[in-house]
Amino acid sequence: MNTQDLRLVAASVLLSLAAACGGHPPPAAVEVVALRADPLPEDPADPAWRAVPAFRAELLLQDLVEPRLLAASTPAVEVRALSDGRSVAFHLAWEDRTADDLQQAAHFSDACAVQLPQTTEADVPDPQMGNPERPVEITVWKASWQAWVDGRKDDIRSIYPNAAIDHYPFEAPALVPGSDAQHEMALRYAPARRLGNVLEGPRERAVEDLLGRGPGTLEPLLEQRSRGRGARTATGWQVVIVRPLPSRLAPGGRSEIAFAVWDGDKQEVGARKMRSAWVPLAVETGV
């Protein structure tokens, strides 16, 4: 049995012992190990996550490309992982004193992301969003998207809850709700939507799959395959992202993974973020 197998067996034993000992948290992990589980828990508060060893991924400020982040914010993100052999679920948790889930002009959303090489091989891409010949797959979760999924209404009163509004022309009694005339009038007050920009909402999913070929090259993947859900805690956020295993990464295999966190209260958006270097990722074979 090689070193990798021993490490995965040890992780499985830790998971079993934790479950047998009344749910006491297992020791901290030295790398991200995706333990075997089926089905995969998608709720951040699912008790199954408590028995999974947590890896503390230290975060660095992104000060290499514009717009740079010049003041460190989130120091680390706690990562747990489970896999059913086809997909992998990541549980991310970090501290954030403010809940920023409403993106407006000059106000940004809290967010996080996981990044993996699109194809698993010995020579990994650059951690700064990959290379032209070696792309990376990035799955982003945003608190503002989660708010849409959880039922925030798609209207100006919901987006600007503290605004004093007497009347909008598109709410005039003469306009039949849902009619073409009412829709046309409403678009006059939503210029981004009139231009076809629906980046922020309303959203049916709280995550988006992207492809990176280097800084500034993000594009949506044609097939959106990931699922995700986030929840506010007393001290910050917990988020679960579930996605298929990347190409050439199978149970028993190894790859690398990186993470990013945005604190909306600190004006972090786009490239202005906290991010990690590559972190070793091992996928358990199971019993």
Side-chain angles (χ1 to χ4, degrees), residues 68-146:
R68 305 168 193 265
L69 184 64
L70 301 179
S73 54
T74 310
V77 59
E78 192 176 77
V79 183
R80 294 173 167 86
L82 293 169
S83 175
D84 61 5
R86 303 173 300 278
S87 298
V88 58
F90 298 104
H91 183 286
L92 279 61
W94 70 96
E95 294 186 1
D96 186 346
R97 64 180 182 83
T98 59
D100 302 292
D101 64 355
L102 189 58
Q103 189 145 322
Q104 306 168 338
H107 291 81
F108 304 108
S109 175
D110 294 332
C112 69
V114 298
Q115 170 184 280
L116 294 102
Q118 186 178 48
T119 301
T120 304
E121 51 192 356
D123 191 11
V124 296
D126 289 345
Q128 294 83 26
M129 297 171 56
N131 309 99
E133 69 281 5
R134 288 176 296 164
V136 295
E137 294 181 349
I138 300 170
T139 303
V140 178
W141 169 90
K142 283 190 177 184
S144 59
W145 297 347
Q146 187 68 60

Side-chain angles (χ1 to χ4, degrees), residues 137-224:
E137 294 181 349
I138 300 170
T139 303
V140 178
W141 169 90
K142 283 190 177 184
S144 59
W145 297 347
Q146 187 68 60
W148 292 116
V149 173
D150 290 344
R152 174 176 288 155
K153 293 183 178 180
D154 180 32
D155 57 42
I156 295 178
R157 286 184 174 84
S158 298
I159 300 173
Y160 296 95
N162 298 321
I165 302 169
D166 294 325
H167 170 74
Y168 281 116
F170 58 80
E171 295 177 337
L175 293 173
V176 178
S179 66
D180 291 343
Q182 195 271 343
H183 178 69
E184 175 62 27
M185 181 64 74
L187 284 178
R188 297 185 186 183
Y189 292 82
R193 191 159 303 154
R194 176 178 284 279
L195 294 173
N197 180 358
V198 294
L199 180 62
E200 285 308 315
R203 285 265 174 165
E204 297 180 354
R205 292 151 41 93
V207 297
E208 184 173 26
D209 292 321
L210 304 167
L211 187 72
R213 301 180 184 273
T217 64
L218 280 182
E219 59 185 84
L221 283 174
L222 294 178
E223 184 181 2
Q224 295 288 307

Side-chain angles (χ1 to χ4, degrees), residues 41-53:
E42 299 187 20
D43 185 344
D46 194 303
W49 290 112
R50 300 174 192 165
V52 181

Side-chain angles (χ1 to χ4, degrees), residues 246-280:
S247 175
R248 299 183 187 173
L249 180 59
R254 298 181 63 82
S255 185
E256 303 283 334
I257 186 170
F259 309 95
V261 170
W262 290 261
D263 186 342
D265 185 57
K266 294 182 171 59
Q267 302 291 290
E268 295 176 12
V269 67
R272 198 163 54 239
K273 63 191 176 187
M274 297 293 292
R275 50 92 183 179
S276 78
W278 283 123
V279 173

Side-chain angles (χ1 to χ4, degrees), residues 42 141 146 149 205-207 226-230 239-242:
E42 299 187 20
W141 169 90
Q146 187 68 60
V149 173
R205 292 151 41 93
V207 297
S226 297
R227 310 183 300 278
R229 176 161 188 80
V239 176
V240 171
I241 292 175
V242 184

